[in-house]
Each structure stands twice: as structure tokens, then as C-alpha cells.
């Protein structure tokens, strides 16, 4: 187990109460930034959060000759792609392991330069996370791909051509790969079994503003008619439904009350239904959503993660902490990633009762059944949590440890909190605004 030295001391037992604001979605903003590369004029993206994945993409765009500067309003970025150029492979490689977004540079760079270098990807360690779909579709468009030790080298010997694609699984990243490639490819692309997450719809809105022609059917089919040229866009990014749900789970687990400014009902409907079934209360207004624990006992539930419009997998880990406080047996079936339940062993050390199974528990069989993946959990509650020494394993697992530490009796030492910055803007300030008792050793925070 690696112990990073950025440690947060969390003194638990205080309900989180107050208001925080979420801005643009981690799973949209960096992709909209990549889309700017396709344009022949500057783009303006608003509601951009200050998170690590945004900084990584900003660095990669700049390496390729895109000028990126703050706009007039806070959280606004202006990206000018009029002088796109090849970047030094070693400079790109310095971003290896930083995020999953570099893979989405393939299509835009092939269109703009005829070649691309993609370093090793980062992202959360929650399964194998192969990228075979991405390369399969790029080959269908006409790209040549060579894997070398330092990364993937791609080439487009001629203009990429629209094609007919069926994804083996509705992958978010592979759907985005197709969109970002097909918009400037010659002719029509038909993508079936596409992912239809709200962030993908927002990316389609961005591309349409740039001049793309994209039609989305109700059966997971997306048709893109390639155009010769795209312009810039002016877009207010969709807000982060994953961060919003994390704070909602924190309110429930700590018996608190949090108003999440920026949270949007439309992209959170499935989460809100589940939150209500567990016994959480919420109230929606035009500016955000208030989440609170209404008192009394929380109820156990059967939960299955799935692609949109199912229960988003990134909502799962924070909500599991609240389920440790529900009466009875909850079942959690993780069907998107094969290894996203490892974080529960630390919750057990804190006093939770969570048992993992290889079988598909709950309603349906998934790709991971009858294989060696502990991808179902039975959470037995309610259990009293005690402070512990915790090492953050991944982004949402890390946030769930923060929630558990805040809900627990006593003090926890949470190691590796730097990872949370990858997807949660100013989380330390937000915790303090909500009355959390946290401190960086040697520096009192609140
Ligand atoms: C930056 C970003 O937007 N990340 C999100 C994105 O990740 P990401 O786009 O990486 O996730 P995918 O939807 O592609 O992955 C879903 C499943 O498809 C599999 N797969 C995917 C691609 C591939 O080439 N081969 C393959 O087998 C994966 O292993 C996984 O089991 O969608 C996930 C599912 O909503 C979210 O959890 C992540 O937060
Ligand atoms: C899995 C996640 O992100 P990524 O795909 O960037 O690793 C996440 O946001 O929970």
C-alpha cells in the first residue's frame, strides 16, 4: 500500500451544513476543450472548474500551439486554435499517466496535423480500462496506429472517412472519440450502441455550435454528417452532477443539510430517485438542490450501476458510505467497472459490514458475472464508524473516505488527498464552509 504524504486529519461526528457551489462537469469540460482544437476560430468555454484534469488538457492544448487564456468572467477560458502545430513527443509524454483525456486528442490532431502521439493514460484504477474500442473505431475511420514503448503513434494517410460503427458496449470515451473524429470526416458516420450520458449530449451541443451536423436517435444511435470546416463556440458547461451527488451523499451520511448551488435535476433524476428511496430528502429550485437527512432511520436498497439513464457508477462509492447507516441489507451491483468495490475494505476497518461477491447480485447478469471479479456487495447496517488511517485509492473512493471520516467518531488520517483535486474543485474550502473539522498537520484549517 502506497502512503502519500499529503495527509488530512478529519475529526468526525459533525453534520455538514451550509452551501457550496458546483461548476462545470469534470467529464465534459476537458472534452469541450479538446473540441476547440477542431475549430478554425477561437472558442469560449464558461463555468470551467479549477481541477487537475482541466490543467492537464490546457497544457496539452498549449503544447499543440493553441493559445489558452482566461476570459472576462471568472471560470471562462478562451482557446485559439488558429496556429495548431506538432508538439514534441517528450513534452507530451510528460503528461503520461495524468488523466484519460489525451486519448480524445486522436481525431482532432489527425484532422489538423495528419498525425498524433498519445501518451500512456491515467485516470482511476477501478478496472482494466482498456482502450481497444477507441483504436478499433479510429482504424475504421482510416487511421494507422502503431504502439511503441512510450505511447501510441497515429497517422492519417488521407482525410478520415465516415463509417458505420457498432460499439460492443456503450462506452462514454469511445462515443466521444467517434464524435470528435466524425465531425470533420468525409461523409456520414452512423454510431450504434452509443453512450448517451448528459455530458455527451453537452459535447454534441458544443460541436453543433461549431457547425457540426449530429442527430441523436432514442435508440442509442448517433448519426454525424461530416463537414469541411468548423468554427469556434461559446458555451456554458453543464454542471457537475457527479460532484453534486457526492455532496448529497455527504449530507446524508453525516446527518447534515447541504444546498448544492449549480446542481441540476435533469441530469440527476436517477440519483434523486435512489436518494429518496434510501430516505434522503431534497428540494429543488432554479439555482440548485438542497439535500438533507430528515431524521429517523435510513432504508436499505438494491442498487445497480449502469450506463445512462441508469445509476451512474461514479455516484456509487460516496452513496455506499450512506448505505452503511441504513437499516438492513443493501445490495450494490457494479456493472460498469469490474474492480470498483475495493474501497470498501477500508470502510470495514472503520466498522462497516460490507461483504463482496463475485456473483451478479440484484436484478440482472452483467459482463462480470461468473468471472473472478468482486463486483457485488452486501452492505449490512446501520454500523457505527470509527476514525482510521485511510489511503485514498481513486477519485470517488477518496471522496467516500472523506465522507466516512466525517461521519465517524474520532479522528481519521486521510493520506493522498491531492488526488481529490482531480475532480473536486476547492474541496478543502468547501469542507470548511460546511463546518467540517479538518486540518492539514502543521496548518490549522478549521
Ligand atoms: C473522463 C471521463 O469522462 N470519465 C468517465 C468515463 O470514463 P470512460 O470513458 O473511460 O469509461 P467508458 O464508458 O469508456 O468505460 C465503460 C466500460 O467500457 C469498457 N471499455 C471502454 C473503452 C474501451 O475501449 N474498451 C472497454 O472495454 C471499460 O473497461 C468499462 O468497463 O465514463 C465512465 C462511465 O460513465 C465514468 O465512470 C468516468 O468518470
Ligand atoms: C472514474 C472517474 O474518472 P476518470 O475516468 O477520469 O478516471 C471518475 O470521475 O469517477
Amino acid at each position: 500500500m502506497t502512503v502519500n504524504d499529503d495527509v488530512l486529519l478529519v475529526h468526525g461526528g459533525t453534520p455538514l451544513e451550509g452551501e457550496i457551489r458546483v461548476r462545470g462537469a469534470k467529464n465534459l469540460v476537458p472534452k469541450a476543450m479538446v473540441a476547440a482544437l477542431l475549430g478554425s476560430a477561437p472558442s469560449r468555454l464558461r463555468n470551467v472548474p479549477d481541477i487537475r484534469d482541466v490543467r492537464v488538457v490546457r497544457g496539452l492544448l498549449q503544447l499543440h500551439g493553441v493559445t489558452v487564456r482566461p476570459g472576462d468572467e471568472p471560470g471562462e477560458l478562451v482557446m485559439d486554435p488558429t496556429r495548431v502545430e506538432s508538439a514534441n513527443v517528450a513534452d507530451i509524454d510528460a503528461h503520461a499517466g495524468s488523466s484519460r483525456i489525451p486519448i480524445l486528442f486522436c481525431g482532432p490532431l489527425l484532422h489538423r496535423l495528419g498525425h498524433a502521439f498519445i501518451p500512456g493514460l491515467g485516470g482511476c484504477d477501478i478496472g482494466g480500462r482498456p482502450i481497444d474500442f477507441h483504436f478499433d473505431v479510429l482504424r475504421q475511420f482510416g487511421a494507422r496506429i502503431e504502439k511503441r514503448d512510450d505511447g501510441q503513434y497515429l497517422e492519417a494517410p488521407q482525410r478520415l472517412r465516415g463509417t458505420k460503427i457498432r460499439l460492443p458496449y456503450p462506452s462514454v470515451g469511445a462515443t466521444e472519440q467517434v464524435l470528435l473524429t466524425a465531425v470533420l470526416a468525409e461523409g456520414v458516420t452512423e454510431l450504434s450502441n452509443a453512450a448517451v450520458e448528459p455530458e455527451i449530449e453537452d459535447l454534441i451541443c458544443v460541436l453543433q455550435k461549431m457547425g457540426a451536423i449530429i442527430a441523436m436517435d432514442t435508440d442509442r444511435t448517433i448519426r454525424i454528417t461530416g463537414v469541411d470546416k468548423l468554427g469556434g463556440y461559446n458555451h456554458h458547461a453543464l454542471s457537475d452532477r457527479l460532484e453534486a451527488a457526492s455532496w448529497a451523499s455527504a449530507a446524508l451520511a453525516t446527518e447534515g443539510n447541504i444546498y448544492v448551488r449549480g446542481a441540476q435535476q435533469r441530469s440527476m433524476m436517477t440519483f434523486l430517485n435512489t436518494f429518496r428511496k434510501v430516505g434522503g430528502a431534497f428540494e429543488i429550485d432554479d439555482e440548485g438542490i438542497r439535500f438533507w437527512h430528515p431524521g429517523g432511520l435510513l432504508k436499505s436498497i438494491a442498487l445497480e450501476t449502469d450506463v445512462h439513464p441508469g445509476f451512474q457508477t461514479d455516484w456509487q462509492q460516496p452513496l455506499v458510505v450512506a448505505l452503511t447507516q441504513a437499516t438492513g441489507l443493501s445490495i450494490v451491483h457494479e456493472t460498469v467497472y469490474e474492480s470498483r468495490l475495493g474501497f470498501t475494505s477500508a470502510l470495514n476497518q472503520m466498522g462497516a459490514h460490507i461483504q463482496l461477491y463475485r456473483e451478479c447480485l440484484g436484478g440482472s447478469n452483467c459482463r462480470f458475472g461468473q468471472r473472478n471479479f468482486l463486483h457485488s456487495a452486501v452492505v449490512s447496517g446501520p454500523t457505527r464508524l470509527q476514525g482510521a488511517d485511510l489511503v485514498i485509492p481513486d477519485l470517488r473512493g477518496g471522496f467516500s473516505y472523506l465522507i466516512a471520516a466525517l461521519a465517524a467518531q474520532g479522528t481519521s488520517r486521510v493520506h493522498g488527498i491531492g488526488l481529490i483535486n482531480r475532480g473536486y474543485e476547492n474541496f478543502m474550502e468547501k469542507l470548511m464552509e460546511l463546518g467540517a473539522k479538518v486540518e492539514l498537520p502543521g496548518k490549522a484549517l478549521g
Side-chain angles (χ1 to χ4, degrees), residues 66 158 309 433:
V66 179
Q158 58 211 19
E433 273 162 33

Side-chain angles (χ1 to χ4, degrees), residues 126 313-314 316-317 334 337-343 396:
I126 47 185
T313 168
D314 302 346
Q316 178 258 110
Q317 290 160 295
E334 170 60 57
Y337 293 111
E338 64 271 30
S339 304
R340 207 172 197 174
L341 292 171
F343 77 107
R396 310 294 165 191

Side-chain angles (χ1 to χ4, degrees), residues 26-27 31 100-101 129-134 169-174 176 197 242 312-314 336-338 340 367-368:
K26 158 189 167 286
N27 287 354
K31 297 150 185 191
R100 298 203 69 68
I101 309 299
R129 309 201 73 177
I131 44 176
D132 50 335
F133 304 166
H134 293 253
Y169 181 82
S171 152
V172 169
E176 293 160 341
E197 269 61 8
L242 310 174
Q312 228 282 342
T313 168
D314 302 346
V336 181
Y337 293 111
E338 64 271 30
R340 207 172 197 174
R367 296 169 293 153
F368 310 133

Side-chain angles (χ1 to χ4, degrees), residues 70-128:
D72 298 334
E73 58 181 72
E76 180 179 336
L77 281 185
V78 180
M79 294 158 285
D80 186 345
T82 39
R83 283 195 194 80
V84 171
E85 60 192 18
S86 300
N88 185 303
V89 165
D91 292 339
I92 302 175
D93 213 27
H95 291 281
S98 57
S99 134
R100 298 203 69 68
I101 309 299
I103 187 84
L104 296 178
F105 278 73
C106 293
L109 287 180
L110 288 174
H111 285 303
R112 295 299 304 262
L113 301 170
H115 59 89
F117 167 72
I118 306 300
L121 301 186
C124 289
D125 185 9
I126 47 185

